Amino acid sequence: MLNKLNAFNMKVSILLIVAIFLLVLSQIVLRLFNLYIPSLNEICGYLLISSFFLALGYSFEQEKHIRVALVFEFDNPNLSHYAQVVSYLTATLICTFISYACIQLTIDSYHFHEVSSGEIAILEWPIQAIMAYASCVTTITIAFKGLEVLRGHS
């Protein structure tokens, strides 16, 4: 189930990158006619942030993230296993805090009706909700990968 969710999130992430490309391309074409899309930089920034967070869980699950392998390469396999368990536990704790912070930020933005400061007033909570959702999925993914390492499957 988690694999399918991460794969779906990755597909949405790719679609958001394509949307950024199309928006920037349309802005270039519109400049030829002295037209512009208001708040395009801001919209593209929000799409990029959403794309990044949605891709985190998938990249971690597929081990495509930046990983410092030197921490895990010990001559003693027990020490290597211990280092991996501690690393996954630490990553899970950090991601849990990030998820909590994103959820709290989303709730606050929703209650206070926060909007962006660009030409177009864009509600901030929907973008923050995507970040909160994706960071929770990433936290769960890291926790499950850590459990696999703890059981000796990885």
Side-chain angles (χ1 to χ4, degrees), residues 79-135:
L79 189 58
S80 179
H81 184 260
Y82 177 74
Q84 281 188 342
V85 169
V86 169
S87 295
Y88 278 107
L89 179 64
T90 304
T92 302
L93 291 174
I94 291 170
C95 285
T96 301
F97 173 75
I98 291 170
S99 297
Y100 170 77
C102 287
I103 290 168
Q104 197 61 42
L105 180 67
T106 304
I107 291 169
D108 289 345
S109 292
Y110 179 79
H111 284 300
F112 294 113
H113 305 288
E114 291 181 2
V115 294
S116 64
S117 60
E119 292 178 66
I120 299 175
I122 301 170
L123 286 173
E124 291 185 353
W125 73 263
I127 293 98
Q128 294 166 350
I130 293 170
M131 289 171 42
Y133 157 76
S135 62

Side-chain angles (χ1 to χ4, degrees), residues 69-84 87:
L70 290 174
V71 174
F72 308 125
E73 294 178 2
F74 294 107
D75 291 332
N76 184 348
N78 289 334
L79 189 58
S80 179
H81 184 260
Y82 177 74
Q84 281 188 342
S87 295

Side-chain angles (χ1 to χ4, degrees), residues 26-47:
S26 64
Q27 180 77 344
I28 292 169
V29 171
L30 287 173
R31 282 186 185 169
L32 297 173
F33 303 104
N34 289 329
L35 299 171
Y36 76 101
I37 301 171
S39 295
L40 181 72
N41 291 339
E42 189 174 20
I43 293 167
C44 287
Y46 287 148
L47 291 175

